[in-house]
Amino acid sequence: MRYLEITVPEGKRRSVLDILEDEGVDYVVSDETSGRGYTAVVRFPIPTQAVEPLLDRLKRAGIGDEASVVVIDAETVVSERFATLRDQYSRGGQTGARTSRQVLRTKADELTPPFPIYAIMLLISAVVATAGLLADSPAVVIGAMVIAPLLGPALAANVGIVTGDGRLKSTGFTYQLVGVAMVVVASIGLATLARLAGLEPAGVDIVVATELEERVAPNLFSLAVALGAGIAGILSLTRGFSEAIVGVMIAAALIPPSAAVGITVAWGMSGAAIGAAVLVIVNLLSINLAALATLWVAGYRPQGLFEASPTRTPTYTYAAIFGIGLLVLAAPLASVTLLEFHTTELESAAEDEVNAVLAEPRYDELESEDVAIELDGDYPVQSVDRVVVTVTGLESGPEPGLADRLYEEIRPHTDEPLVVEVQYVVAEQRGDDADRRNGNEPLDWP
């Protein structure tokens, strides 16, 4: 429920009261004597879903920006006329109980902090995220997501598009682009300092050693977080759900990948940096496309029928830009996804083939310890480099012909060039097995 207070300009008092009477609103009117060009102040409770159509009707009647409108949350209203009005506007069920367009603009604007605060919070988030990724600490990375103020800009841009608010749209897109750029630059600086300080693991791939791997080689499932964040963000704004949790979800789609771009640039890994940058751009497009589509489906439009057509064109234009960009950039993500499917299938087939070969009598002394698929590390779209088979046995040294035999069995399961590498681990001899191997039988003691 909402409680509205409208300061009526001179000459508009009768028009306002006629509309309220026609709507069945239970109002109170008082004279306005400040001498500032107003004639009355009208106060009345109204169902939440009735705010937007009532204000639209007042606008069409000539009650424009010169009137002052205040919308306040109302806890309880005891009135028969209000109950009738509430029933009238709840015919469509709870689906109609959405935030009015006018309140939506205000809430989106309030969620976008002043730029100095926004920049400071993002810089802190970038430092924390970079440190968390380098330290391979999921808890620290989550902390960076919590403090990143990215919800407001993502929602403001799309609210501005569908409601025809150019200022809100411009602010939202500017904050998003500048914010991501700030995180990348800050991460490059911090990662460069970390590398110069000797924190780079000697001889170890920094991507494999930290939490970077899933960010530099993203797959199609990465889209789920961003799309869900965009939809949840709009629902939180229009239905009154918790914005804080949704803000963390949006930050999860943008902050770690942006920090990953900075780290990989500082380490001179151009392919990995491209992969992380693609994920950042894809997530930005996904969040905005999902938010824009959700707003449009929810029925948010500019004021009046005559303004619907001019805003429909830019809405479709932005949706097309987001969608086409997403489809183009989704191609490498699809390649990574197919590679992961292929790698999983190849690993399963290789395990079956290794077990079948080692089950032969000539390999009774050997057991399969592990079968792993290694990729070539050519980020972001990698390929299978080799199959590493680890076997255990009582004898040290390689088994003649085993690697060739395994290669012949595994090779038909992939079309790519393949190397099969066999690693041997000597099992420790203990107890009865060691005695029997040395020709000694254990003694039975009474």
Side-chain angles (χ1 to χ4, degrees):
M1 294 176 293
R2 299 290 186 264
Y3 187 77
L4 272 64
E5 180 179 286
I6 301 178
T7 306
V8 184
E10 292 181 357
K12 301 294 183 180
R13 175 171 179 161
R14 188 68 263 164
S15 299
V16 172
L17 298 183
D18 287 344
I19 291 174
L20 296 181
E21 289 287 351
D22 186 59
E23 290 285 343
V25 175
D26 193 5
Y27 64 88
V28 174
V29 61
S30 58
D31 293 335
E32 212 286 325
T33 59
S34 66
R36 293 178 297 147
Y38 298 104
T39 184
V41 177
V42 183
R43 302 176 181 88
F44 54 91
I46 193 171
T48 300
Q49 52 268 53
V51 173
E52 183 174 346
L54 179 61
L55 292 180
D56 287 348
R57 187 172 176 183
L58 290 172
K59 185 72 174 289
R60 290 193 295 270
I63 312 300
D65 295 335
E66 69 275 11
S68 174
V69 179
V70 179
V71 182
I72 305 172
D73 287 335
E75 293 292 336
T76 305
V77 177
V78 181
S79 168
E80 291 186 4
R81 296 191 69 180
F82 179 82
T84 303
L85 187 64
R86 181 179 55 198
D87 293 340
Q88 173 186 339
Y89 278 95
S90 62
R91 287 194 299 265
Q94 291 300 315
T95 56
R98 62 179 177 86
T99 303
S100 67
R101 185 182 66 255
Q102 294 81 2
V103 175
L104 184 67
R105 286 178 176 176
T106 303
K107 292 181 67 175
D109 201 15
E110 289 176 348
L111 286 173
T112 305
F115 187 79
I117 301 299
Y118 177 76
I120 291 172
M121 294 299 292
L122 268 187
L123 288 175
I124 296 173
S125 178
V127 171
V128 174
T130 304
L133 290 174
L134 289 174
D136 199 22
S137 174
V140 176
V141 176
I142 293 173
M145 302 173 193
V146 173
I147 62 177
L150 292 173
L151 174 63
L155 303 185
N158 295 283
V159 170
I161 291 173
V162 300
T163 61
D165 190 328
R167 183 195 60 81
L168 202 59
K169 177 184 67 175
S170 176
T171 300
F173 282 129
T174 301
Y175 269 52
Q176 288 184 71
L177 297 177
V178 173
V180 169
M182 288 175 57
V183 174
V184 172
V185 171
S187 298
I188 292 175
L190 182 61
T192 301
L193 292 176
R195 189 176 185 186
L196 293 176
L199 299 181
E200 179 180 4
V204 177
D205 186 351
I206 186 66
V207 170
V208 176
T210 64
E211 275 210 337
L212 293 174
E213 191 164 16
E214 64 186 51
R215 275 104 188 182
V216 301
N219 56 32
L220 285 175
F221 297 111
S222 305
L223 295 176
V225 175
L227 291 171
I231 296 173
I234 293 302
L235 292 178
S236 70
L237 196 63
T238 60
R239 305 291 174 167
F241 301 144
S242 173
E243 289 96 358
I245 297 176
V246 179
V248 174
M249 191 175 181
I250 291 179
L254 296 177
I255 294 297
S258 299
V261 174
I263 293 173
T264 49
V265 168
W267 253 260
M269 304 176 66
S270 58
I274 292 173
V278 168
L279 179 59
V280 172
I281 298 173
V282 165
N283 284 349
L284 273 174
L285 292 173
S286 300
I287 290 170
N288 284 279
L289 178 61
L292 185 61
T294 304
L295 282 168
W296 190 261
V297 170
Y300 286 98
R301 304 290 188 275
Q303 166 70 35
L305 295 176
F306 297 104
E307 297 182 20
S309 180
T311 195
R312 185 177 289 113
T313 299
T315 300
Y316 290 162
T317 301
Y318 277 102
I321 293 173
F322 296 153
I324 294 173
L326 197 57
L327 288 175
V328 172
L329 293 176
L333 273 64
S335 300
V336 174
T337 306
L338 293 175
L339 173 64
E340 291 180 354
F341 287 155
H342 174 62
T343 301
T344 301
E345 293 177 352
L346 179 60
E347 184 174 1
S348 177
E351 288 178 354
D352 293 339
E353 298 296 350
V354 169
N355 290 331
V357 170
L358 296 183
E360 298 177 6
R362 60 180 295 190
Y363 301 118
D364 284 343
E365 300 295 328
L366 299 177
E367 292 184 1
S368 174
E369 180 75 14
D370 183 50
V371 177
I373 308 297
E374 291 189 358
L375 305 179
D376 58 8
D378 188 14
Y379 301 102
V381 181
Q382 305 178 82
S383 58
V384 175
D385 182 50
R386 64 185 61 224
V387 178
V388 180
V389 180
T390 304
V391 297
T392 59
L394 298 177
E395 298 288 347
S396 61
E399 181 71 23
L402 177 59
D404 293 336
R405 178 66 189 284
L406 292 176
Y407 174 82
E408 293 175 358
E409 299 298 329
I410 298 174
R411 181 67 184 84
H413 294 283
T414 180
D415 297 329
E416 301 180 27
L418 186 67
V419 174
V420 176
E421 178 182 308
V422 181
Q423 298 179 352
Y424 295 85
V425 177
V426 179
E428 182 182 357
Q429 300 179 17
R430 296 181 302 174
D432 295 350
D433 290 338
D435 290 334
R436 291 191 182 96
R437 187 167 183 81
N438 293 328
N440 301 321
E441 292 291 334
L443 299 177
D444 293 330
W445 295 92

